[in-house]
Amino acid sequence: MQAADLDRFALGDKFNKANPLADSIFKMGSGQVANTSAVEQQFGDMMTALYKESGSSLRIEILKNSEVSKFIDDHARVLDNSFEFTKMSDLMRQRLKESDWMFSGMKTFHELNEAFPSLLDEKGERKSFERFLNDVLKIDSTYNRNYLNAEYNFAQASAGMAAKWEDFLDDGDDYYLQYRTAGDSNVRPEHAELNGITLPASDKFWDTYFPPNGWNCRCTVVQVRKDKYTPTPHDQAMSRGSRAMANEKTSKMFAFNPGKQQKVFPDYNPYTISKCATCDKAKLNLTFIPDNQVCEACEFAKKCFIGKEEIIKVRNDTVKISKLINPESSDYKKLKQIAEHFASLGAEVEMTPKMSRPAAFVYDCYYKDLRGTKYEGKCPDLRIDGIWYEHEGFTTKNPVNAFNNMLNHGLKQSSRIIIDQPELTDAFMKKAIGRRIYTSGQVIDEVWIRSDSGIRFLYKKS
């Protein structure tokens, strides 16, 4: 592991004694305690998977092991729970959960990397599993109790401020934003330096100094009336911010705005390196060539995340929803209605994402079976019992034009389409479909009709 620029919390008692900031990092500032039991229980299973590894170095691919993946899921779920009841948009919640999962994946990689040398004893021989597990229990206690509690508090504060930022954006610059500390004797001097700074939401100051500005930071930002407060000159505000964070060992990590970046944790955090702050991970560009182990682990974790999905129950069946789907997209509710309808009939249903020029690996995660077909490169909306379907909505108020446009667009993605109900008779639509098949030679296997009242069958190739 290259850790030259890795500014970590603490690594054992030696770090705690050498770093006076360590105590403040891990004390529970808000008094909240995360429920870490599931993570600690899963740690043993993850160590069992690690014990089966061979070779002189840890394989990045171990992150895809089922026991390791479950550990990451459990860890991310603890962090997600910190803002379970925080009001925010569905899209913001989705993005924050993505951030939690990536953070958990990189942290898990660190735990595995730290535990890996314990596989061998002083003579270089492999330990018994019992001895190995006993030797790594300290890692579990440190990472999954002490550190996780501090991370839980940070996630709670960060998500809360992200939700606030969404609210602030609704009002634009109608109000000023004002930085405020908790105002008691426990306020850090460096944070007191920021107290009272007043600026419009569009000011770049908030890109760097929006709370939380450290572990267990209790600072906040509030809206204030323009006729009551005078704005702080931008240069003065930036100077105060620079002075405030100059002595913070972790200041570079917290130079982000969770609401603007839609992330619980900054890209540069205790489990990454400083250049991660400028890496464009949000675009999931998988053509990037890693130049060290941290980057390689990060890229592999992204690939693992792409394969993740949300599972919702529909009676006795389920619908799988890709985490790459935007729940605030205009057709999300319609697609979910369609998916739930077919799942209620006993079908296995997946909702899949639209992609614009994705890397080959990302495309193949969902649409590999379209390779070599006339639909290669397309991204149909749904896979129902292994068969692709495309949904199309109205594109014009004229019902005949709407019907033709939906068929034209939908049939480019799949020969099985589901269209929104136009104000046309079934007889008219079936006749139009027949003309396309017998006159134009179009391949049409199925057409379904969707309306707010339900999904119904219109045409199927005999």
Side-chain angles (χ1 to χ4, degrees), residues 15 22 52 64 97-98 128 142 156 159 193 207 286 309 327-328 336 369 386 396 438 442 447 449:
F15 182 91
K52 296 175 182 178
K64 204 170 184 179
K97 287 184 175 183
E98 290 176 12
S128 67
T142 300
Q156 188 175 58
E193 177 76 32
D207 290 0
L286 298 177
E309 58 206 359
E328 291 191 349
K336 194 163 177 281
D369 58 343
T396 174
Y438 300 112
Q442 281 192 284
V447 179
I449 301 295

Side-chain angles (χ1 to χ4, degrees), residues 39 110 122 131 133 135 171 214 220 286 290 301 304 326 336 345 348 402 406 453 455:
V39 176
H110 273 259
E122 302 80 5
R131 182 182 172 188
L133 186 59
D135 289 346
D171 295 319
T220 190
L286 298 177
C304 291
N326 179 2
K336 194 163 177 281
L345 300 177
E348 183 178 325
M406 286 188 287
S453 59
I455 317 295

Side-chain angles (χ1 to χ4, degrees), residues 156-376:
Q156 188 175 58
S158 185
M161 294 308 299
K164 270 198 163 193
W165 183 257
E166 276 198 311
D167 290 339
F168 294 158
L169 290 185
D170 288 341
D171 295 319
D173 282 345
D174 292 346
Y175 297 88
Y176 289 136
L177 302 186
Q178 187 173 88
Y179 194 105
R180 293 185 182 178
T181 67
D184 57 28
S185 59
N186 292 322
V187 172
R188 284 166 255 190
E190 53 270 21
H191 290 196
E193 177 76 32
L194 301 172
N195 189 52
I197 288 178
T198 305
L199 291 163
S202 59
D203 196 281
K204 294 296 184 182
F205 172 86
W206 303 116
D207 290 0
T208 304
Y209 301 109
F210 198 75
N213 281 310
W215 302 108
N216 296 325
C217 173
R218 299 172 298 147
C219 298
T220 190
V221 172
V222 298
Q223 286 181 316
V224 295
R225 286 165 42 189
K226 286 187 170 182
D227 60 357
K228 189 175 180 181
Y229 291 91
T230 302
T232 307
H234 171 78
D235 290 346
Q236 182 189 119
M238 295 301 291
S239 179
R240 286 170 62 181
S242 181
R243 286 199 305 272
M245 297 294 108
N247 295 322
E248 277 276 15
K249 293 181 182 293
T250 55
S251 60
K252 289 183 179 179
M253 291 185 188
F254 300 107
F256 87 119
N257 180 324
K260 200 166 187 178
Q261 296 186 18
Q262 298 182 325
K263 294 176 181 178
V264 171
F265 295 93
D267 291 333
Y268 174 34
N269 59 61
Y271 307 112
T272 61
I273 53 180
S274 59
K275 74 173 185 177
C276 294
T278 56
C279 178
D280 193 4
K281 292 197 299 187
K283 292 184 179 179
L284 292 170
N285 179 11
L286 298 177
T287 61
F288 173 72
I289 300 174
D291 61 1
N292 61 44
Q293 202 175 16
V294 174
C295 292
E296 188 178 354
C298 176
E299 291 302 308
F300 194 82
K302 282 189 289 183
K303 294 178 183 180
C304 291
F305 182 79
I306 287 170
K308 304 296 292 182
E309 58 206 359
E310 178 186 357
I311 306 237
I312 59 173
K313 292 287 290 182
V314 181
R315 298 180 187 173
N316 294 324
D317 296 284
T318 60
V319 172
K320 297 178 181 178
I321 305 176
S322 164
K323 284 187 176 289
L324 298 186
I325 293 176
N326 179 2
E328 291 191 349
S329 62
S330 59
D331 61 348
Y332 178 80
K333 289 183 179 178
K334 294 179 181 179
L335 288 171
K336 194 163 177 281
Q337 176 199 13
I338 295 167
E340 290 177 346
H341 168 79
F342 284 99
S344 70
L345 300 177
E348 183 178 325
V349 185
E350 299 173 66
M351 290 172 55
T352 50
K354 294 295 185 186
M355 297 179 174
S356 177
R357 288 183 284 184
F361 175 89
V362 182
Y363 184 82
D364 286 349
C365 279
Y366 295 98
Y367 306 107
K368 187 175 182 178
D369 58 343
L370 293 179
R371 296 284 190 193
T373 74
K374 64 181 288 187
Y375 301 108
E376 180 172 342

